[in-house]
Amino acid sequence: MSFTQYKPVATRLQRSELACPGSNPSMIEKAANSAADFVFLDLEDAVAPNDKVQARKNIIEALNDIDWKAKGKTVSVRINGLDTHYMYRDVVDVVEQAGSKLDTILVPKVGTPHDLYMVEAMVTQIEEAKGLTNRIGLEALIETAIGMANVEDIARQHYTSRLEALHFGVADFAASRRSRTVVIGGLNPDYPGDQWHAAIDRMVTACRAFGLRAIDGPFGDFNDPDAYIAACKRASVLGCEGKWAIHPSQIEMANDMFSPPAAEVDRARRILVALDEAAAQGKGAASLDGRMIDAASARMAQNVVTVAEAIEAKSGAAKAA
Ligand code: GLV
Ligand code: MG
C-alpha cells in the first residue's frame, strides 16, 4: 500500500438518483415520496430559461417544507454551469435561503478544478455568514471533453475538500465530443462493444484514487427497461455506486442493480468472521468454502458489507417512519 492514501470522503447510499426539474412542484413532491436514495432538484438543463427564477423559488420552498431526511433521501440541487449568468444566483439564493436543508450541490459541466474552487469559495462564505452547521458537499458532472481530459485533476480536489462524487453525464459528453449516439446512454450498433466503456472506466479510477463515489448518469429511453438494466450492470461492474433515474420507473431497477445480492452479502460477512478468527490464531489467511481468503478478500468484503449496512439503515428508517 502506498503511503499516500485517500479515504472515502463521504459515504452515502446513491444507488438511484432521481432527476427532478425544479420547475415542476408536483414532480418534486412525488420525488420526495419515491423509493430513490438520492434526488437532485434541477435548475439546469431540464429547466427552460424563462422558468429559472421560478424553479429556484420552488426548490427553496421544497427544501424547507419537505423533511427529506425523514423520507430517507439525500437531496441535492443541480445548479447552472459556470458559463451562465444563472449560476451565482443559484448558489446564493439556494444556500442562503435553504442551505441548512441541502446535502450536496451538483455542479454541471465541470472542466477544470477551478470551477469547483469558485463554488467552494461561495458556499464557504455563505455558510459562514449564515452560521450553517451542516457541511454542504459538492458533486461534479464530468460531461465535456475538457472535463474528461482533466478528470484526475478534478478528482484530486486541489481547491475543495467538499467534493464527494463524480457523475458521468453521457448526453452532454456525447455532444461535446460529437460522438454518434442513438439513445442517451445507449449503445450504437455501429460500434463493436460499449462506446462509453473507456470514459466511465477512466472516471471510476479517478474517483476511487481520491476517495470519491462514482455515479453513472442518464439513460434516455425509459420505455426500454432491459437496456436500462444492462447499462446499470455495465456501470456497476466497473465500480459505479449508482445511476440516474430520469423517470420514476427506473428507480427500483437501479436500487436492485446496485444492491449487492443477498448471497454476496452473506459470503462477505462470513469472510470477515473467518478472517477475524484466523487473526485471533495469528494467521493472515484462511479458507472459506474451499477457497483461500486473505486481507484483500477482507477489503472487498468490507465494501460489500458497508453498502449492505447502508441499505439496511435506509429500510429500517423507512419502517420506523
Ligand atoms: C447529464 O447532464 C448529461 O448530460 O448526460
Ligand atoms: Mg448534461
Side-chain angles (χ1 to χ4, degrees):
M1 208 55 110
S2 163
F3 186 62
T4 302
Q5 286 174 39
Y6 293 82
K7 298 236 168 339
V9 172
T11 306
R12 299 185 197 265
L13 195 58
Q14 201 166 4
R15 296 167 300 171
S16 53
E17 173 142 354
L18 183 63
C20 184
S23 45
N24 191 327
S26 75
M27 278 176 82
I28 298 180
E29 185 84 37
K30 282 190 193 130
N33 292 311
S34 73
D37 291 339
F38 230 91
V39 173
F40 83 78
L41 305 174
D42 197 11
L43 285 169
E44 201 218 14
D45 281 357
V47 177
N50 286 341
D51 294 338
K52 298 278 188 197
V53 172
Q54 186 58 44
R56 250 183 234 133
K57 289 186 185 149
N58 298 341
I59 287 178
I60 290 164
E61 206 174 293
L63 286 170
N64 286 323
D65 291 356
I66 297 172
D67 190 344
W68 295 86
K69 234 173 223 55
K71 290 177 182 292
K73 302 275 171 296
T74 299
V75 65
S76 178
V77 170
R78 178 165 74 167
I79 58 173
N80 284 281
L82 274 77
D83 58 329
T84 72
H85 66 80
Y86 305 113
M87 174 265 163
Y88 80 96
R89 179 89 20 232
D90 291 345
V91 177
V92 172
D93 284 5
V94 172
V95 181
E96 275 196 352
Q97 295 173 46
S100 65
K101 306 296 176 62
L102 183 60
D103 294 308
T104 70
I105 293 176
L106 177 59
V107 187
K109 301 181 181 67
V110 171
T112 79
H114 302 95
D115 294 343
L116 295 175
Y117 180 72
M118 177 165 182
V119 183
E120 167 84 25
M122 290 178 72
V123 171
T124 302
Q125 288 195 21
I126 301 168
E127 268 182 3
E128 208 178 304
K130 290 283 161 192
L132 300 180
T133 50
N134 58 315
R135 187 170 163 78
I136 298 167
L138 297 183
E139 302 182 69
L141 254 164
I142 302 300
E143 53 179 345
T144 56
I146 189 171
M148 192 58 76
N150 288 326
V151 69
E152 292 83 12
D153 220 24
I154 291 166
R156 199 183 296 269
Q157 320 208 40
H158 293 287
Y159 307 123
T160 169
S161 55
R162 293 177 192 270
L163 186 63
E164 302 182 359
L166 300 184
H167 297 230
F168 178 57
V170 66
D172 272 303
F173 187 66
S176 168
R177 269 199 352 178
R178 304 186 194 196
S179 301
R180 283 176 34 227
T181 56
V182 277
V183 52
I184 291 175
L187 304 180
N188 187 329
D190 285 350
Y191 188 82
D194 174 3
Q195 74 198 91
W196 310 118
H197 172 89
I200 299 181
D201 193 62
R202 181 172 176 186
M203 189 193 81
V204 171
T205 301
C207 283
R208 297 312 187 187
F210 297 105
L212 308 179
R213 303 185 301 276
I215 306 298
D216 191 25
F219 183 85
D221 186 355
F222 53 81
N223 288 312
D224 192 347
D226 292 345
Y228 180 78
I229 286 172
C232 288
K233 285 183 178 168
R234 291 194 298 273
S236 164
V237 295
L238 287 176
C240 288
E241 292 186 31
K243 182 165 175 64
W244 289 16
I246 50 108
H247 187 269
S249 65
Q250 295 178 334
I251 296 171
E252 294 287 2
M253 291 186 276
N255 286 349
D256 276 357
M257 290 300 121
F258 289 94
S259 295
E264 208 176 289
V265 176
D266 177 57
R267 183 172 156 76
R269 289 196 162 120
R270 289 191 302 120
I271 286 174
L272 294 177
V273 170
L275 285 168
D276 276 353
E277 284 169 5
Q281 296 164 22
K283 294 185 201 149
S287 144
L288 185 74
D289 303 336
R291 294 187 199 151
M292 191 280 286
I293 52 172
D294 64 6
S297 322
R299 286 190 283 275
M300 289 186 279
Q302 190 55 59
N303 288 340
V304 173
V305 169
T306 300
V307 177
E309 284 173 355
I311 295 168
E312 283 157 14
K314 180 180 169 181
S315 54
K319 272 186 209 131

